[in-house]
Each structure stands twice: as C-alpha cells, then as structure tokens.
Amino acid sequence: ANLKNYQYLEQLHKMFPSLPLLATEATLEAPTTQHIGSTPWKEAMKYAIDIIGDLNAWTSGWIEWNVLLDSSGGPTCIGPSATSVCTPLVGHCDAPILANANDQTIELRDSYWHMAHFSRFISRGSVRIGVDVADKFADSVKATAVVTKGEVDGDEKVTIVVLNTDGSNTQEYQVELGGEFATLKIPPHSIQTLVVS
C-alpha cells in the first residue's frame, strides 16, 4: 500500500482550492494473501493511516470499496470469463465485514473498528483543524482533528483521532486546545478518539 503519497493531494489542493477531494475505492488484500508477518490489526491500521493522511491533505471524504464481502473476500468478478465462472482478475479483497453464507454469520474485521473511529465521531460538515505531531513521533504517531457543530445544541466540539503504529512502545503525547493542555498515553498498535466539548 502506498501510504506516503499525500504531497500530491496537497499540490492538487493548492492548485484548485475549491475542488472537493475524495479518497475512493480503498480496500485491503484478501486475508489469505496478506503479507507474511502481518496481522489483521496491522492490515487494518493501513486504513487509519490512509484516512488520517487523506484528511490532513484536504480530502473531504473517504470511501471504502467493499464494506461487506463473503468470507472468501468475494464476489470480485471483473470482466467476462470463458467458463462463465466468476474468476477475479485482481484477486479477492478484505472488507470491514465478512459474511459466511453457510453459517449465516458475520465477522466484524479489525478494519471495521478502525473505520468506526472516523465514521462514528466525524460527522458530515465537520471542518478539519491543524494538528502538529512532534518530530520524535513522526514515524509512529498519526493524528487528525476536526471541529463539529452539535446538531441539537449548536455547541462546537473538537474530535481528535490518534493512531500509534509502534508495535512495542506506549507513546505519551500532549493535546493543547484553547491554551489548556492534557497529557495522554496511547498503547502500542492502537487507535483512540478524543471528543472535547
């Protein structure tokens, strides 16, 4: 996955500041083809890295390619086949929700929980605000923040999503809002959402 291409979004936004940018057709490889040494949690972290990177580079939305697939990562049929059997040309995919049709069960994958930190807490109409991550955290801590007006009371709240990609170390960080500071910790390989009213 190319998770370090956000400078191109920045350039595009600079050239066309009123052009809405959407990240679309995101997906992960099928669980059976994910890289050796990886785990479903590490694979799901790619979503959080990508969503944070995209939001920080001026995208206004992020669209999952396949929210629900069967337990084998299909159907993924692109183009006709000589046998009329659906044979994917690009391989099966992973999805936040996998359905086992035989057992009539669903599995909520780790990517589902990562996406929930964004879809549940960042509502339509939210406005991204700047986030500064200290250089010492640049490789392991990713963050994005938005301001949202309350639908009922009209009060503003700040939502901050923080991701620690370091697999071994808890990271301690500070949040400053309106001249007030809070020191927080985020465990290894974890994601957390802060909502401040």
Side-chain angles (χ1 to χ4, degrees):
N2 183 7
L3 301 173
K4 296 186 179 188
N5 58 4
Y6 308 109
Q7 73 276 12
Y8 301 116
L9 293 172
E10 295 274 357
Q11 290 172 5
L12 187 60
H13 174 74
K14 190 174 182 179
M15 291 169 35
F16 305 99
S18 62
L19 179 70
L21 300 175
L22 287 174
T24 65
E25 301 177 37
T27 195
L28 295 171
E29 293 180 50
T32 57
T33 61
Q34 291 173 0
H35 305 289
I36 295 173
S38 188
T39 64
W41 190 259
K42 286 181 186 177
E43 290 295 311
M45 277 194 324
K46 292 177 184 177
Y47 271 16
I49 292 167
D50 196 44
I51 294 169
I52 289 170
D54 286 338
L55 290 175
N56 288 346
W58 302 100
T59 62
S60 56
W62 195 90
I63 300 171
E64 159 62 54
W65 176 250
N66 294 299
V67 173
L68 171 66
L69 292 172
D70 68 27
S71 55
S72 70
T76 308
C77 188
I78 300 171
S81 93
T83 63
S84 73
V85 175
C86 180
T87 306
L89 299 177
V90 295
H92 291 296
C93 301
D94 198 357
I97 305 170
L98 295 180
N100 184 322
N102 294 331
D103 295 344
Q104 295 291 294
T105 59
I106 62 168
E107 176 189 357
L108 300 178
R109 307 274 298 153
D110 293 336
S111 55
Y112 175 90
W113 302 109
H114 275 79
M115 287 178 61
H117 281 269
F118 303 92
S119 62
R120 184 174 185 183
F121 295 101
I122 300 176
S123 60
R124 180 175 285 158
S126 296
V127 177
R128 186 183 60 86
I129 58 175
V131 172
D132 290 323
V133 175
D135 289 342
K136 69 179 182 176
F137 296 125
D139 290 335
S140 60
V141 176
K142 313 293 181 201
T144 194
V146 300
V147 174
T148 306
K149 268 200 174 170
E151 294 178 19
V152 176
D153 55 18
D155 288 343
E156 288 187 344
K157 65 181 177 183
V158 174
T159 301
I160 306 165
V161 180
V162 182
L163 175 71
N164 181 5
T165 62
D166 188 308
S168 304
N169 300 302
T170 294
Q171 304 291 346
E172 184 175 281
Y173 64 97
Q174 282 191 336
V175 173
E176 177 196 357
L177 287 172
E180 295 188 40
F181 292 84
T183 300
L184 303 156
K185 292 182 179 181
I186 183 169
H189 272 180
S190 65
I191 186 169
Q192 57 188 211
T193 299
L194 314 169
V195 179
V196 183
S197 298

